[in-house]
Amino acid sequence: MSTKKNKSSIYIYIIITIIGCVLACSSIIPNDYLKLVVVMGALGTGLYGIMKGLSTPSTTEETAVDEK
């Protein structure tokens, strides 16, 4: 995975996490249980994507390790 695509996917997951926080604090969804499911889904997806994106090594680090 290229570094540019990795950064853009991290930004997308950050936006999903922010949307989850906004939905949690707003009254857009009146049903509390539906709001809980939507917010937990958005936050879980966002945090998982951010952790996955940050845990993958970049291509420059991989080539540096291979040269040693």
Side-chain angles (χ1 to χ4, degrees):
M1 181 184 281
S2 68
T3 307
K4 187 176 263 188
K5 185 173 182 182
N6 192 11
K7 285 184 181 181
S8 63
S9 67
I10 291 174
Y11 289 134
I12 291 170
Y13 285 118
I14 289 173
I15 290 171
I16 291 172
T17 306
I18 291 172
I19 289 172
C21 292
V22 168
L23 286 175
C25 296
S26 68
S27 60
I28 295 173
I29 303 173
N31 188 350
D32 287 337
Y33 296 110
L34 180 62
K35 183 191 290 189
L36 176 69
V37 169
V38 171
V39 168
M40 293 301 284
L43 291 177
T45 304
L47 291 175
Y48 173 75
I50 292 170
M51 290 188 300
K52 183 180 171 188
L54 292 176
S55 68
T56 57
S58 65
T59 55
T60 56
E61 291 176 359
E62 290 175 358
T63 56
V65 171
D66 291 339
E67 290 176 358
K68 289 182 182 178

